[in-house]
Amino acid sequence: MNIFNQLVKSLYSPKDIAKFRFQGIGKTILYVFFLVLISLIPTAISISMFTNTAIEEGKQTIAEDLPDFAIDNGKLTTNSNEPVKIRKSNITFIMDSTGEIKADDLSQETNAIALLQNEFAIVSVGNIQTTPYSMLEGLNVDNKQLVDYLEQLDSLKGIFLPVIILILYLFSSAMTFIKVSIFAFIGLLFANILKRKLTYRHSFRLTAYSITLATIFFSIMNSLNTFIPGAVLLDWIVTGLMLYLSIKEIPQKRMSK
């Protein structure tokens, strides 16, 4: 069975997953890398679209819409006495030198770029990443300099975007292998409860395919910008259930007379 058919079968068939426990470890590892690659496609597209939109609309907004500002000695100063919020088609631009808006207040935004009093924040699909100005030693910029910086960034996006996506892929792969390794031990516990004969290497193979349903489901939800409460817990429950059902499909070990 080829890797594409295995992916489809692993979405709904514990019986087929149980059969995969005898395949080579190399093919199992390849499957995990393949699954991570498939699951990251929506994220990669989202990052690329967000970056392109942020740069293009950012240049226009900073040059034409935002008040004059300067970032010096780790602090933002403007000629505005209140926060400024400008909503574009896909991104909200926020500037606040008063300290009224904190990074945590941005959780309601889907996609946003914020220049706050002491830090810079990016919100992508509800995820907030902040960088204090003090970390950028010697940072001293104003409207024009920031627009020039975005121009340079625009010309380099063909280089840094693939690098960012590659780093994300390697990190996600590492985390997935850790997850599979942990659940492989849980699989041994399930096998003991169900009185099935199962070694760790077979449990590892079963787990690699049992994570498919949860991985693809959350990948689709992320592409739809849909927030799932308790996502990590739900992920582990679905993975554990698929693993349990797969082990249950293994023929029960014979009891000696």
Side-chain angles (χ1 to χ4, degrees):
M1 185 179 297
N2 64 46
I3 199 168
F4 295 98
N5 288 336
Q6 284 183 317
L7 187 146
V8 174
K9 293 287 187 181
S10 298
L11 290 172
Y12 66 88
S13 177
K15 185 175 182 179
D16 283 291
I17 292 176
K19 297 176 183 178
F20 299 153
R21 69 188 185 279
F22 294 120
Q23 74 174 15
I25 187 62
K27 188 173 183 180
T28 302
I29 291 174
L30 177 63
Y31 178 82
V32 174
F33 279 117
F34 173 72
L35 179 62
V36 174
L37 178 63
I38 293 297
S39 67
L40 280 182
I41 289 177
T43 301
I45 294 174
S46 177
I47 290 175
S48 300
M49 293 178 61
F50 176 81
T51 301
N52 289 329
T53 303
I55 291 176
E56 291 301 322
E57 294 191 350
K59 290 187 293 185
Q60 179 183 0
T61 302
I62 293 170
E64 301 176 4
D65 302 322
L66 291 180
D68 292 337
F69 68 88
I71 301 174
D72 192 15
N73 294 323
K75 189 174 182 180
L76 172 70
T77 58
T78 72
N79 56 8
S80 175
N81 295 324
E82 58 184 18
V84 177
K85 183 178 291 188
I86 299 173
R87 297 190 182 277
K88 294 292 185 177
S89 56
N90 296 308
I91 298 178
T92 300
F93 293 89
I94 299 170
M95 175 178 287
D96 176 32
S97 60
T98 67
E100 180 180 333
I101 298 178
K102 306 297 182 184
D104 292 341
D105 299 328
L106 303 175
S107 58
Q108 296 180 348
E109 301 291 342
T110 301
N111 295 309
I113 295 177
L115 295 175
L116 306 180
Q117 187 179 47
N118 299 304
E119 59 188 345
F120 171 73
I122 294 179
V123 183
S124 178
V125 196
N127 297 312
I128 305 172
Q129 301 291 332
T130 62
T131 303
Y133 303 133
S134 57
M135 288 185 60
L136 306 174
E137 188 175 350
L139 179 66
N140 185 0
V141 298
D142 55 20
N143 300 56
K144 185 179 184 305
Q145 290 172 321
L146 190 54
V147 170
D148 292 340
Y149 172 74
L150 290 177
E151 291 282 3
Q152 296 175 11
L153 201 61
D154 192 22
S155 64
L156 294 173
K157 65 186 179 183
I159 298 175
F160 72 80
L161 272 178
V163 172
I164 291 174
I165 293 172
L166 176 60
I167 292 173
L168 179 62
Y169 173 69
L170 294 176
F171 176 78
S172 298
S173 297
M175 296 303 296
T176 301
F177 275 108
I178 291 173
K179 176 183 175 182
V180 171
S181 299
I182 293 173
F183 268 97
F185 284 107
I186 298 176
L188 296 179
L189 177 61
F190 288 160
N192 186 53
I193 294 173
L194 294 169
K195 295 181 173 55
R196 271 24 177 213
K197 184 177 180 180
L198 190 70
T199 63
Y200 179 81
R201 67 179 185 273
H202 290 153
S203 183
F204 184 92
R205 291 169 172 83
L206 288 178
T207 304
Y209 292 93
S210 296
I211 66 173
T212 303
L213 177 60
T215 301
I216 296 300
F217 171 76
F218 284 105
S219 176
I220 293 174
M221 291 300 100
N222 287 336
S223 68
L224 298 175
N225 295 334
T226 302
F227 174 74
I228 306 294
V232 175
L233 178 60
L234 181 60
D235 179 11
W236 283 54
I237 290 174
V238 173
T239 299
L241 180 60
M242 288 296 291
L243 180 59
Y244 179 86
L245 294 175
S246 300
I247 294 174
K248 193 175 181 181
E249 291 293 335
I250 299 175
Q252 193 167 13
K253 57 187 179 182
R254 295 178 180 177
M255 303 296 292
S256 59
K257 295 183 180 179

